[in-house]
């Protein structure tokens, strides 16, 4: 081996060690602050959120799937949480209300992805609400991979001794405080690799008082809580040289009239927001309108998890960091033609268009996709002849260099 080869080998070893150590030090925390529309978060002073987001880390976002389309999802809490957790809308994850009657665990949550692909990573939930762990994440369920979280701190809404219920939901505020204190402590001491913090008080005050000082005070309390969480993250970053990616978002907006309700498809109910300390944000975050379903594809990328093709092709969101090829696919059937549109995020990209006429994935099976054609991504539209594939239902995947997106079309 000559000097040059030894040098190359040395560089290769150093860089692979660098990649591994970077990876081992990467931690992700995501927070849902319940039921705060974008106009409210923008008009109030939120110094801690501003500090975390820096100059470019805040964007408006949307919830509720495709309004009037096949993926339209109620702007209801558990529906929104599960859209975040699975990176899919309700037509797939099948949570349509807070009763969480029958989640479809074939659409994995981020916790299951981590458990299956990176079992060495540690996971944590800090939450007012027990169902977040037991039903949505579906801990320890046989039909959901039977995995456990490393840390959990939740269920206090059932503890009426320490948190006696009162008409003004002060007990929910106290639980949120308890949850944030414990999350900060565990982050400082143990630094789980993936953490979900869920806070409820803002939604309770919204329901009770609507657009009012009481609701705004709850948002300011949440901001203060995020400051304490951020202190814990800063402590780990400085002391242990860890790389923390923080996401803070909401699960739905509120009604136009008085801000008391939610669940429908008005602009304000669909108006969400997200913020992050991550600096490597792509055009979809900076110039587009991200959806709540984009956070999980981003975290998968952060953890170097590449789901198998069948799973990746079901994700309704795309990563908000790194390069991305395309977003926002739409398809309609007109006679024997399928008309497709999308947004291209690259100047030179070719996309492959795949179609299946089954949805076996929803039942744990696989779908046979047929490659229909390849086109220049920058065209942002295509017309596909489907006369050889008569069907009432089409599942369409557009696959670019960096990511794939999917959409459904029903024959009307
Ligand atoms: Zn909610």
């Amino acid at each position: 081996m000559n000097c040059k080869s030894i040098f190359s080998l040395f560089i290769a070893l150093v860089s692979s060690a660098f990649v591994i150590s970077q990876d081992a030090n990467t931690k992700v925390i995501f927070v849902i602050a319940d039921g705060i529309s974008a106009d409210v978060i923008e008009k109030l002073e939120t110094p801690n959120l501003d500090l975390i987001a820096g100059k470019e880390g805040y964007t408006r976002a949307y919830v509720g799937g495709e309004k009037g389309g096949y993926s339209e999802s109620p702007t209801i809490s558990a529906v929104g949480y599960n859209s975040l957790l699975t990176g899919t809308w309700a037509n797939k994850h099948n949570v349509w209300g807070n009763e969480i009657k029958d989640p479809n665990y074939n659409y994995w949550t981020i916790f299951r992805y981590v458990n299956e692909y990176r079992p060495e990573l540690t996971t944590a939930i800090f939450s007012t609400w027990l169902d977040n762990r037991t039903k949505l994440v579906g801990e320890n369920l046989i039909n959901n991979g039977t995995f456990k979280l490393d840390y959990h701190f939740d269920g206090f809404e059932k503890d009426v001794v320490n948190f006696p219920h009162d008409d003004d939901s002060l007990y929910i505020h106290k639980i949120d405080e308890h949850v944030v204190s414990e999350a900060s402590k565990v982050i400082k001491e143990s630094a789980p690799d993936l953490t979900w913090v869920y806070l409820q008080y803002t939604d309770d005050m919204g329901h009770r008082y609507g657009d009012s000082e009481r609701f705004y005070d709850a948002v300011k309390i949440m901001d203060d809580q995020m400051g304490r969480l951020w202190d814990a993250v800063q402590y780990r970053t400085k002391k242990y040289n860890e790389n923390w990616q923080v996401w803070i978002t909401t699960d739905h907006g509120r009604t136009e009239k008085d801000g008391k309700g939610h669940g429908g498809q008005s602009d304000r109910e669909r108006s969400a927001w997200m913020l992050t300390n991550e600096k490597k944000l792509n055009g979809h975050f900076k110039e587009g309108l991200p959806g709540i379903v984009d956070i999980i594809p981003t975290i998968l990328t952060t953890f170097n998890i590449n789901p198998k093709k069948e799973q990746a092709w079901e994700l309704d969101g795309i990563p908000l960091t790194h390069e991305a090829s395309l977003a926002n696919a739409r398809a309609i059937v007109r006679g024997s033609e399928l008309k497709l549109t999308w947004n291209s995020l690259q100047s030179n990209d070719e996309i492959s268009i795949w179609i299946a006429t089954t949805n076996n994935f929803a039942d744990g099976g696989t779908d046979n996709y047929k490659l229909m054609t390849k086109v220049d991504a920058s065209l942002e539209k295509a017309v596909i002849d489907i006369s050889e594939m008569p069907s009432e239902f089409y599942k369409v995947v557009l696959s670019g260099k960096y990511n794939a997106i999917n959409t459904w079309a029903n024959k009307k």
Side-chain angles (χ1 to χ4, degrees):
M1 192 180 271
N2 62 28
C3 270
K4 202 175 161 193
S5 328
I6 291 168
F7 182 71
S8 305
L9 180 66
F10 174 74
I11 292 295
L13 286 171
V14 167
S15 38
S16 67
F18 180 72
V19 167
I20 289 163
S21 70
Q22 282 286 300
D23 196 41
N25 273 337
T26 296
K27 314 274 181 180
V28 176
I29 173 167
F30 64 96
V31 180
I32 297 177
D34 203 308
I36 306 168
S37 56
D39 62 294
V40 169
I41 206 82
E42 287 168 12
K43 84 172 183 181
L44 297 179
E45 291 205 357
T46 52
N48 292 295
L49 297 185
D50 296 350
L51 183 69
I52 296 165
K55 272 193 184 137
E56 294 192 314
Y58 172 87
T59 179
R60 284 200 171 200
Y62 77 99
V63 295
E66 184 188 327
K67 188 175 176 176
Y70 73 96
S71 63
E72 183 175 290
S73 306
T75 55
I76 291 174
S77 300
V79 183
Y81 315 160
N82 218 37
S83 292
L84 192 161
L85 291 169
T86 62
T88 69
W89 300 112
N91 60 301
K92 292 180 183 170
H93 66 61
N94 205 39
V95 170
W96 296 93
N98 291 336
E99 307 78 26
I100 316 178
K101 284 181 190 151
D102 187 22
N104 189 337
Y105 295 115
N106 291 315
Y107 301 92
W108 291 6
T109 68
I110 185 62
F111 288 94
R112 184 159 179 199
Y113 276 114
V114 164
N115 184 66
E116 302 261 353
Y117 285 90
R118 298 282 309 273
E120 77 280 12
L121 299 185
T122 53
T123 54
I125 286 185
F126 304 92
S127 165
T128 325
W129 211 35
L130 183 65
D131 287 357
N132 284 343
R133 174 168 56 90
T134 55
K135 292 185 179 175
L136 295 181
V137 170
E139 185 185 52
N140 223 13
L141 299 179
I142 294 164
N143 61 344
N144 189 34
T146 324
F147 63 92
K148 288 201 125 185
L149 280 81
D150 297 280
Y151 306 89
H152 66 85
F153 194 78
D154 55 14
F156 300 102
E157 87 273 25
K158 297 186 192 302
D159 177 0
V160 292
V161 175
N162 289 306
F163 301 99
H165 292 198
D166 61 307
D167 289 342
D168 215 22
S169 281
L170 195 63
Y171 76 103
I172 292 291
H173 164 60
K174 285 182 178 163
I175 292 173
D176 280 357
E177 287 284 304
H178 198 39
V179 161
V180 169
S181 296
E182 186 66 16
S184 305
K185 185 167 155 258
V186 171
I187 286 169
K188 272 187 164 178
E189 288 172 2
S190 312
D193 297 300
L194 174 67
T195 298
W196 176 18
V197 175
Y198 165 72
L199 300 172
Q200 184 184 325
Y201 187 58
T202 43
D203 190 52
D204 278 28
M205 290 299 98
H207 280 295
R208 200 167 297 262
Y209 299 106
D211 297 307
S212 66
E213 286 306 319
R214 287 295 299 271
F215 178 46
Y216 301 156
D217 284 346
V219 175
K220 288 174 193 165
I221 288 169
M222 181 275 291
D223 177 72
D224 179 69
Q225 290 164 340
M226 290 304 95
R228 281 144 56 196
L229 213 56
W230 182 242
D231 284 346
V233 165
Q234 291 296 298
Y235 171 83
R236 292 296 308 191
T237 305
K238 286 179 188 141
K239 188 158 183 196
Y240 296 94
N241 199 26
E242 290 162 352
N243 175 27
W244 283 77
Q245 186 182 69
V246 179
W247 294 93
I248 304 172
T249 188
T250 194
D251 54 333
H252 51 77
R254 312 204 72 83
T255 44
E256 307 280 347
K257 185 171 152 254
D258 55 12
K260 285 189 176 172
H262 58 84
Q265 293 290 321
S266 70
D267 288 350
R268 197 177 186 216
E269 286 165 288
R270 291 172 57 84
S271 87
W273 48 272
M274 58 178 75
L275 65 88
T276 178
N277 66 328
E278 174 62 56
K279 300 297 176 224
K280 296 188 194 101
L281 297 160
N282 63 23
H284 184 55
F285 183 97
K286 288 183 182 169
E287 289 125 40
L289 180 69
I292 198 169
V293 291
D294 292 324
I295 293 177
I296 280 345
T298 311
I299 297 175
L300 289 172
T301 304
T302 304
F303 282 140
N304 281 327
I305 294 173
N306 294 302
K308 62 181 184 182
K309 189 183 79 179
E310 289 76 14
Q311 292 179 306
W313 281 11
E314 294 290 341
L315 290 171
D316 290 327
I318 73 168
L320 299 165
T321 57
H322 301 75
E323 298 281 4
S325 291
L326 59 170
N328 304 326
R330 295 278 183 271
I332 53 168
V333 179
R334 285 287 176 271
S336 60
E337 289 179 338
L338 189 76
K339 299 191 170 188
L340 286 172
T341 57
W342 62 88
N343 297 133
S344 175
L345 305 171
Q346 297 288 331
S347 48
N348 283 312
D349 204 356
E350 183 184 61
I351 60 166
S352 303
I353 300 173
W354 303 79
I355 295 181
T357 55
T358 55
N359 191 24
N360 298 330
F361 186 92
D363 303 315
T366 51
D367 298 295
N368 266 328
Y369 286 91
K370 187 178 173 199
L371 176 61
M372 304 304 287
T373 186
K374 293 184 178 186
V375 296
D376 179 351
S378 65
L379 294 173
E380 298 195 323
K381 61 180 180 181
V383 177
I384 309 293
D385 179 359
I386 47 171
S387 54
E388 306 285 302
M389 298 177 78
S391 175
E392 296 298 307
F393 169 78
Y394 295 92
K395 194 153 80 165
V396 186
V397 172
L398 312 182
S399 168
K401 185 176 175 189
Y402 300 107
N403 72 290
I405 50 172
N406 72 90
T407 185
W408 292 3
N410 286 298
K411 204 167 197 170
K412 293 249 165 73

